[in-house]
């Protein structure tokens, strides 16, 4: 089974003068760089109706167009998996991802991913890029994701994500007491030593995170975060950058931080919370075919709720008045 891909995008001003292959990777992030390179070389990806080389520069307003045949995801194995479906129709699928689930196959995780489960539950997705997955959550981040069920919906959702019109609201628990909300506008790139990590770097990709306080506790803060961009590990890196790393974050959190004079019960909860305390709570978008604005919300999972209760108890026992 295969499908015909027809996409187009104009080069924005901030990318003018960059190489064609680099710009294509930014404008069509749902496709791998290798696939885009092959489309450029075989003429499936044209600029202003002309075939260029991957290294050729392109300018503001140039039109990139893709007309290509996409083969089925034959390399991915369909696997039976329990999926928590929040909403479904013929065009889109909204699901609530649990912790400890990788979204897309990659080195070290070729099976047991969400993509494998989607291919089992919805075999027709094998003809869509990444089985309809248009954005990701980290392995141990929980919450809402949208999956396209048709090429038309896939193109619409990718465009909405590029235009930053999809509303993605998260909640997290961070170390330290935040005095108020704010915006973190710091570019992200790959860490120069640990290749599994991202870091704030001058030459990185634009990344913008808005945050506000939901509730202050004695030594932690429950926060709401809204993404304007969707970079890998964005929230985790940005909150670490302002010295308020996420509770339980194994990659960016550093050594376990136990607050002074906390109860043994609270200390035990913190010791046993071994994933980043991050949940994608709300998702809002325009339905690809009806044009209706739709929104969904899901509560954080039980371990997250248990952490909130433990913080509340510690706060009350400590006698602090941080409201």
């Amino acid at each position: 089974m295969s499908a015909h891909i027809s996409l187009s995008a104009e080069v924005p001003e901030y990318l003018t003068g960059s190489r064609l292959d680099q710009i294509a990777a930014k404008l069509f992030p749902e496709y791998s760089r290798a696939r885009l390179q092959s489309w450029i070389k075989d003429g499936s990806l044209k600029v202003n109706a002309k075939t260029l080389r991957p290294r050729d520069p392109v300018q503001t307003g140039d039109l990139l167009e893709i007309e290509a045949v996409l083969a089925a995801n034959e390399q991915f194995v369909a696997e039976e998996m329990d999926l928590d479906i929040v909403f479904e129709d013929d065009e889109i699928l909204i699901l609530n991802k649990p912790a400890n689930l990788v979204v897309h196959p990659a080195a070290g995780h070729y099976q047991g991913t969400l993509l494998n489960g989607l291919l089992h539950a919805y075999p027709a997705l094998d003809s869509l890029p990444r089985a309809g997955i248009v954005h990701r959550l980290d392995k141990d981040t929980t919450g809402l994701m949208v999956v396209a069920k048709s090429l038309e919906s896939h193109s619409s959702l990718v465009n909405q994500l590029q235009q930053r019109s999809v509303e993605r609201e998260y909640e997290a628990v961070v170390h330290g007491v935040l005095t108020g909300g704010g915006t973190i506008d710091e570019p992200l790139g790959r860490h120069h030593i640990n290749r599994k990590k991202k870091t704030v770097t001058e030459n990185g990709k634009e990344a913008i995170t808005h945050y506000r306080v939901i509730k202050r506790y004695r030594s932690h803060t429950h926060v709401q975060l809204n993404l304007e961009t969707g970079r890998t590990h964005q929230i985790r890196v940005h909150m670490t950058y302002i010295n308020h790393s996420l509770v339980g974050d194994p990659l960016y959190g550093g050594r376990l931080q136990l607050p002074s004079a906390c109860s043994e019960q609270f200390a035990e909860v913190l010791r046993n919370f071994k994933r980043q305390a991050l949940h994608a709570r709300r998702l809002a978008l325009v339905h690809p075919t009806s044009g209706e604005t739709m929104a969904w919300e899901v509560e954080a999972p039980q371990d997250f709720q248990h952490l909130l209760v433990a913080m509340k108890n510690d706060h009350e026992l400590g006698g602090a008045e941080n409201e």
Side-chain angles (χ1 to χ4, degrees):
M1 189 175 180
S2 61
H4 184 260
I5 302 294
S6 182
L7 294 171
S8 64
E10 280 194 9
V11 177
E13 186 175 353
Y14 77 95
L15 290 177
T16 190
S18 297
R19 289 169 53 119
L20 171 57
D21 55 355
Q22 295 173 341
I23 287 182
K26 289 183 169 64
L27 296 181
F28 307 108
E30 68 277 20
Y31 299 102
S32 70
R33 288 178 179 269
R35 188 188 295 276
L36 290 168
Q37 287 255 8
S38 68
W39 283 345
I40 293 170
K41 291 174 181 176
D42 70 17
S44 297
L45 193 164
K46 289 182 168 64
V47 180
N48 301 328
K50 297 178 180 178
T51 300
L52 300 183
R53 296 169 299 180
R55 67 175 183 270
D56 286 340
V58 290
Q59 309 300 325
T60 303
D62 283 350
L63 180 65
L64 275 62
E65 295 180 291
I66 298 174
E67 297 290 341
V69 175
L70 190 70
N73 292 288
E74 295 172 354
Q75 69 272 37
F76 301 130
V77 178
E79 297 178 54
E80 189 170 1
M81 182 182 298
D82 289 332
L83 299 174
D84 184 1
I85 306 301
V86 176
F87 172 84
E88 178 184 1
D89 63 13
D90 291 339
E91 297 298 326
I92 60 173
L93 180 71
I94 307 294
L95 57 88
N96 183 16
K97 189 188 89 66
N100 196 34
L101 178 63
V102 174
V103 169
H104 188 273
H109 294 282
Y110 289 107
Q111 295 182 334
T113 73
L114 175 61
L115 183 144
N116 300 112
L118 286 170
L119 289 177
H120 182 273
Y122 305 92
L125 293 181
D126 70 350
S127 64
L128 298 183
R130 303 183 193 273
I133 295 170
V134 293
H135 67 122
R136 306 187 193 188
L137 294 177
D138 293 340
K139 176 186 175 184
D140 283 324
T141 298
T142 60
L144 292 168
M145 291 183 60
V146 59
V147 176
K149 294 178 68 178
S150 72
L151 274 174
E152 180 183 3
S153 294
H154 184 275
S155 296
S156 171
L157 292 172
V158 168
N159 183 62
Q160 289 183 55
L161 287 163
Q162 289 176 346
Q163 298 299 318
R164 304 180 183 179
S165 61
V166 175
E167 182 182 336
R168 290 170 289 173
E169 180 181 301
Y170 294 73
E171 61 179 313
V173 177
V174 302
H175 290 287
V177 182
L178 282 161
T179 56
T183 295
I184 307 168
D185 184 353
E186 297 289 345
L188 300 182
R190 196 178 295 277
H191 196 279
H192 65 288
I193 297 175
N194 187 339
R195 307 303 286 174
K196 293 183 179 180
K197 296 177 71 172
K198 301 294 182 179
T199 189
V200 169
T201 176
E202 185 178 344
N203 297 319
K205 296 179 180 178
E206 181 186 31
I208 302 172
T209 303
H210 306 283
Y211 65 94
R212 73 172 186 85
V213 173
I214 297 175
K215 179 78 173 177
R216 297 182 188 89
Y217 294 92
R218 191 169 67 89
S219 52
H220 298 85
T221 310
H222 185 196
V223 295
Q224 173 187 312
L225 305 113
N226 293 79
L227 292 183
E228 200 167 309
T229 55
R231 308 302 179 196
T232 300
H233 299 175
Q234 178 173 319
I235 289 173
R236 299 164 66 186
V237 178
H238 270 171
M239 296 311 292
T240 300
Y241 179 75
I242 63 169
N243 299 313
H244 291 282
S245 61
L246 272 59
V247 167
D249 193 328
L251 194 57
Y252 300 99
R255 293 178 57 188
L256 175 65
Q257 303 174 44
L258 293 178
S260 60
C262 74
S263 68
E264 182 54 36
Q265 291 92 331
F266 187 38
E268 194 63 19
V269 170
L270 291 173
R271 289 191 192 101
N272 291 326
F273 202 95
K274 298 184 182 299
R275 68 174 185 88
Q276 63 269 10
L278 182 61
H279 174 67
R281 177 172 67 187
R282 185 173 189 273
L283 180 69
L285 50 84
V286 174
H287 191 276
T289 55
S290 73
E292 177 188 1
T293 298
M294 304 181 74
W296 302 267
E297 288 191 32
V298 290
E299 283 193 349
Q302 189 173 1
D303 65 341
F304 195 107
Q305 301 284 358
H306 184 52
L307 176 63
L308 292 177
V309 171
M311 281 196 308
K312 180 175 182 290
N313 292 339
D314 173 75
H315 184 77
E316 292 172 349
L317 286 172
E321 295 183 355
N322 292 320
E323 294 300 330

